[in-house]
Amino acid sequence: MGIRRLLRALGACAAAVAAGPALAQPGPLPEPLAVRIGVLTDLSSLYADTNGSGAVTAARMAVEDYQAAGGTVRAEVVSADHQNKADIGSTITREWFDRGGVDVVVDVPNSAVALSVTELARQKNKVFMNSGASSSDFTGKNCTPNSIHWTYDTYALATGTSRAVVASGGDSWYLLTADYAFGHTMEADIRKILSASGATVVGSARTPLNTPDFSSFLLQAQASKAKVVGLVNAGGDTINAIKQASEFGIVQGGQKIAAMVLYITDVHSLGLGVAQGLQFTAAYYWDLNDGTRAFAKRFSARMGGRMPTQLQAGAYSATLHYLKAVEKAGTKTDGKRVVEVAKSLPTDDPAFGKGTIRADGRKMHNMYLFETKTPSESKGPWDYYKLIRTIPAEEAFRPMGEGDCPIVTGSR
């Protein structure tokens, strides 16, 4: 081989080595999961204080905390007012699911509205984190593989309070019941518990939702001579009923008021002078432990000094767990899969601590029996409750086998 030819061959080899193997051009990186969270709530009526803008704030706090902890799912929170009307709530939810890009609905005070959301989430294979409605039917006959029932339910609320009041001698009751799904379910739960405890219901009345005047119902309760007047209502209705019961001198006349659902905002509105001595069951109180206090302090700073209700804490807790489940599932489009993963993950957050989710969708955590303080016992603003008893989750919530949930029985 001539010298020129040899040099040309060596040059070609050097160029080939320098160039190396052909490299594939990198493709686009996968987009991170992005979800839209719809907080469907009451922004204008009797549950605006217990849920409302506070629930929206709590959901946004959950997104911030999840992302600050290194969560990879991006999230946007939108909100709407269902006005306590099932048809309006259903229309909003359908629009959100079909055209609004909403992947999960959170909160939904009012069990009648929540029932419609439950069914739509099942039909559209979306997710419903039910942190605001209370009917125990959501883990019973109306349970679905697309829903989780978060904060509390009528069974847990009725169990803790009814048993405590009966134990203190309240063995005859007159019930004032909100005339919609929540009230009907809770009254049924109360009647079962009272019957099992040897107490009797001597009478009851169905009261319209958001009624300003309880006088005729309270007069019936007063005339019944029942030892206990049970208020099977919530929010603004509870406030009005307790105020008017005080005006009628029901407690002064020897009857006891049992508030089956009571929120810290109710007590704040009533004042301890009127609300003192009420016993009730709740899932959360801001001054329980370091975690609840830390969450409440941050919430209060955003809400003009107001402390969170148990339902606002529930909206935070449920939203946080949903985001963790989406990240673990690796999908947002298959709502049933997201709920399956959510049930498999232990729950843990500052508001509720550690817990689990049962197969029927019941989120399990301790409940608490509280009594409202007297004015002299309170040390300052929002210092309203004293803890009477911690109720373990297994005692507080209805046994899964008694709920007739289709997921558990295999009928769905």
Side-chain angles (χ1 to χ4, degrees):
M1 177 183 294
I3 188 68
R4 291 182 179 178
R5 189 174 176 185
L6 176 62
L7 290 174
R8 283 198 300 270
L10 290 172
C13 288
V17 170
L23 298 177
Q25 292 298 313
L29 295 173
E31 287 290 324
L33 280 171
V35 299
R36 180 168 286 182
I37 300 162
V39 180
L40 185 61
T41 190
D42 177 355
L43 293 168
S44 58
S45 188
L46 74 164
Y47 303 132
D49 284 344
T50 61
N51 300 72
S53 61
V56 181
T57 294
R60 288 180 173 145
M61 287 174 63
V63 171
E64 293 168 10
D65 288 356
Y66 164 78
Q67 293 174 341
T72 59
V73 177
R74 296 185 302 180
E76 175 190 5
V77 175
V78 298
S79 62
D81 185 356
H82 62 47
Q83 302 176 45
N84 287 292
K85 297 177 181 178
D87 57 341
I88 292 176
S90 180
T91 298
I92 292 169
T93 303
R94 190 180 298 276
E95 173 67 24
W96 274 354
F97 285 164
D98 289 347
R99 289 175 287 279
V102 168
D103 303 290
V104 57
V105 173
V106 179
D107 195 27
V108 196
N110 188 311
S111 292
V113 180
L115 283 169
S116 67
V117 176
T118 297
E119 182 57 22
L120 281 169
R122 186 190 66 80
Q123 291 175 7
K124 305 291 184 178
N125 196 22
K126 300 286 189 174
V127 177
F128 179 24
M129 301 297 282
N130 179 358
S131 60
S134 57
S135 172
S136 57
D137 285 344
F138 291 113
T139 53
K141 64 182 181 180
N142 295 117
C143 79
T144 80
N146 293 77
S147 301
I148 295 174
H149 200 183
W150 204 263
T151 311
Y152 59 26
D153 60 30
T154 52
Y155 181 94
L157 296 174
T159 298
T161 307
S162 299
R163 287 177 177 169
V165 173
V166 171
S168 66
D171 57 6
S172 63
W173 290 57
Y174 190 97
L175 303 175
L176 301 187
T177 301
D179 194 10
Y180 72 106
F182 143 72
H184 302 167
T185 308
M186 176 167 263
E187 181 176 327
D189 287 336
I190 292 169
R191 286 178 177 271
K192 289 178 184 176
I193 294 161
L194 293 179
S195 177
S197 303
T200 59
V201 177
V202 301
S204 64
R206 296 282 172 89
T207 63
L209 181 67
N210 207 13
T211 182
D213 186 5
F214 283 86
S215 57
S216 63
F217 308 112
L218 289 167
L219 286 171
Q220 294 173 44
Q222 200 169 38
S224 75
K225 304 299 183 183
K227 292 180 182 179
V228 181
V229 178
L231 302 180
V232 192
N233 50 26
D237 282 344
T238 301
I239 293 171
N240 286 336
I242 292 174
K243 283 181 178 178
Q244 291 168 34
S246 178
E247 292 167 5
F248 278 98
I250 284 182
V251 173
Q252 295 88 331
Q255 291 175 293
K256 184 180 181 68
I257 299 292
M260 306 312 295
V261 186
L262 194 71
Y263 304 105
I264 195 165
T265 46
D266 301 340
V267 178
H268 189 72
S269 178
L270 289 164
L272 289 178
V274 173
Q276 61 182 306
L278 290 171
Q279 287 192 341
F280 58 96
T281 304
Y284 167 90
Y285 176 50
W286 71 269
D287 201 19
L288 270 176
N289 53 54
D290 289 344
T292 59
R293 284 187 286 271
F295 168 71
K297 182 178 180 181
R298 293 170 51 225
F299 178 93
S300 178
R302 299 180 183 215
M303 292 295 296
R306 298 168 68 88
M307 288 298 175
T309 67
Q310 57 185 315
L311 294 180
Q312 290 159 346
Y316 168 86
S317 177
T319 301
L320 184 62
H321 193 72
Y322 166 77
L323 291 168
K324 294 175 182 177
V326 170
E327 180 177 338
K328 181 73 172 179
T331 180
K332 68 169 187 174
T333 57
D334 186 350
K336 184 177 179 181
R337 173 61 183 157
V338 172
V339 169
E340 287 175 350
V341 172
K343 290 177 180 178
S344 73
L345 295 174
T347 65
D348 191 7
D349 62 81
F352 289 86
K354 297 181 184 298
T356 58
I357 303 172
R358 292 191 319 203
D360 62 353
R362 175 67 261 162
K363 200 272 190 182
M364 301 293 286
H365 48 253
N366 292 339
M367 297 289 289
Y368 306 93
L369 179 67
F370 293 109
E371 183 173 301
T372 49
K373 292 182 175 182
T374 65
S376 63
E377 290 174 322
S378 177
K379 298 176 182 178
W382 301 96
D383 179 27
Y384 297 151
Y385 297 178
K386 53 186 176 184
L387 178 64
I388 303 300
R389 180 173 177 253
T390 298
I391 308 171
E394 293 73 19
E395 178 186 336
F397 294 102
R398 179 180 60 205
M400 187 165 63
E402 296 178 10
D404 294 326
C405 167
I407 300 171
V408 176
T409 62
S411 58
R412 179 183 292 160

